Amino acid sequence: MERIVAVFKRFQIHTNYSTILNEIGSIRLKVQDDKIPRFIHTINTETDCRATLSPTAEYVEIKRNW
């Protein structure tokens, strides 16, 4: 979980979301358009979670893999 917290802090996303992700197992976040590709890549390569862009491109969905 500390890896996801580190990524959230780096992208200036409220770190309390990591608690929700830990408890519920998935979360949907709005991310600045220009940061979306890098954010998804970072989540998928540096954490144990899987990030995907919603079909409408309105949010990024992050799911736990554990």
Side-chain angles (χ1 to χ4, degrees), residues 5-57:
V5 169
V7 172
F8 279 7
K9 284 181 178 173
R10 198 175 340 150
F11 282 87
Q12 298 176 348
I13 292 172
H14 204 289
T15 54
N16 283 354
Y17 287 133
S18 62
T19 305
I20 296 167
L21 182 62
N22 196 34
E23 290 176 7
I24 299 173
S26 71
I27 196 163
R28 293 175 175 177
L29 298 174
K30 287 202 175 261
V31 181
Q32 265 183 278
D33 289 349
D34 60 328
K35 292 185 178 180
I36 288 173
R38 198 175 79 222
F39 178 71
I40 289 175
H41 176 75
T42 304
I43 292 289
N44 288 340
T45 58
E46 294 185 22
T47 73
D48 296 330
C49 295
R50 192 94 201 122
T52 54
L53 186 61
S54 71
T56 56

